[in-house]
Amino acid sequence: MSMTFSGQVVVITGAGAGIGRATALAFAAEGLSVIVADVDVPRAEQTVEFIRAAGGNAHCVPCDVTRELDVKHLMEQVLLIYGRLDYAFNNAGIEIEQGRLADGTQDEFDAIMGVNVKGVWLCMKYQLPLLMAQGGGAIVNTASVAGLGAAPKMSIYSASKHAVIGLTKSAAIEYAKKHIRVNAVCPAVIDTDMFRRAYESDPKKAEFAAAIHPVGRIGTVEEVASAVLYLCSDGAAFTTGHALAVDGGAMAI
């Protein structure tokens, strides 16, 4: 299986922390130039510093993926800085809902759908023309195991991730003959800042989170990053429209 990348460019949203940062570091280690995009500029700049300290090439571009002008500017900067785009990892997302469906608010709905769905749609809207101009490429979107099934007390979040998978599959079919592959990663519980905020204050919740995975632990950001790199690599040249569970066996139950 080939994982070779040479002189290529990737743009990553939500790259200031967690899965986005780990994936940015992994792509840079493979020799790609990385556009690090995030609404949290200080954290995005820190990701760039880590990449450059390791000898890689990266630039920070502030971006709120819910704002079309921000996304358009992001892609303009990709061309201005590097002159090309080969891969995109649309990873920016939020998870703020913890309650039954009837207890949700319109503000929660709008916020979750705005980032998780509209943000992915806007990014692909502006990435696809660049990839077509380049002759092809690959996009990976961050969905979730919550997009592969039910997620009690997270119904809006679950709906948003089902929507990401729908966008992914539809784009994959529409652009297959343009040599553009579009896939999604669907992580289960991953050791991120979000996880620590939600679970580490309650050891019983953390134990339960580990126990729902047949492998007996939660995942790491590096494991998700490896899946993203695979989906962008030549090793996945015949894979498009796929929602890849990175879940320690959780969806096999």
Side-chain angles (χ1 to χ4, degrees), residues 6-253:
S6 176
Q8 295 171 315
V9 177
V10 60
V11 61
I12 302 175
T13 65
I19 292 169
R21 174 176 286 179
T23 307
L25 293 170
F27 270 118
E30 292 291 333
L32 282 85
S33 297
V34 185
I35 291 287
V36 174
D38 205 298
V39 70
D40 188 334
V41 177
R43 299 190 81 173
E45 290 176 338
Q46 188 177 49
T47 299
V48 170
E49 290 173 6
F50 289 152
I51 290 172
R52 290 177 177 173
N57 190 357
H59 283 80
C60 167
V61 179
C63 183
D64 177 347
V65 296
T66 69
R67 295 172 55 87
E68 184 169 9
L69 289 178
D70 275 25
V71 176
K72 184 174 183 288
H73 176 258
L74 170 63
M75 300 312 157
E76 289 171 346
Q77 288 300 298
V78 171
L79 289 184
L80 182 64
I81 296 169
Y82 291 121
R84 61 184 291 159
L85 178 65
D86 300 281
Y87 309 106
F89 180 35
N90 297 317
N91 170 70
I94 58 172
E95 178 182 359
I96 59 175
E97 171 196 17
Q98 294 288 334
R100 293 180 184 275
L101 187 148
D103 297 325
T105 68
Q106 183 168 304
D107 285 345
E108 286 178 324
F109 185 92
D110 290 345
I112 293 169
M113 290 294 179
V115 177
N116 293 1
V117 183
K118 181 182 177 182
V120 170
W121 172 72
L122 279 173
C123 285
M124 288 202 293
K125 173 181 172 64
Y126 285 97
Q127 290 158 358
L128 286 162
L130 272 60
L131 293 174
M132 284 192 288
Q134 190 63 36
I139 295 174
V140 179
N141 299 318
T142 296
S144 167
V145 293
L148 298 172
K153 296 189 177 181
M154 294 173 60
S155 58
I156 304 171
Y157 177 80
S158 177
S160 77
K161 294 304 185 178
H162 277 272
V164 168
I165 293 173
L167 287 169
T168 298
K169 289 178 178 289
S170 297
I173 300 305
E174 290 178 3
Y175 292 90
K177 288 186 170 58
K178 300 294 185 182
H179 308 293
I180 298 171
R181 295 182 298 104
V182 188
N183 294 289
V185 286
C186 300
V189 182
I190 305 297
D191 187 7
T192 62
D193 291 345
M194 186 182 295
F195 166 78
R196 296 188 190 104
R197 288 193 301 270
Y199 292 98
E200 284 195 346
S201 60
D202 187 338
K204 288 185 178 180
K205 280 188 177 181
E207 289 174 9
F208 174 76
I212 65 174
H213 305 86
V215 298
R217 64 174 177 84
I218 64 173
T220 69
V221 292
E222 290 80 13
E223 287 167 331
V224 182
S226 293
V228 176
L229 262 68
Y230 163 69
L231 289 172
C232 287
S233 75
D234 289 343
F238 201 55
T239 301
T240 194
H242 182 60
L244 176 62
V246 186
D247 67 346
M251 295 305 296
I253 297 174

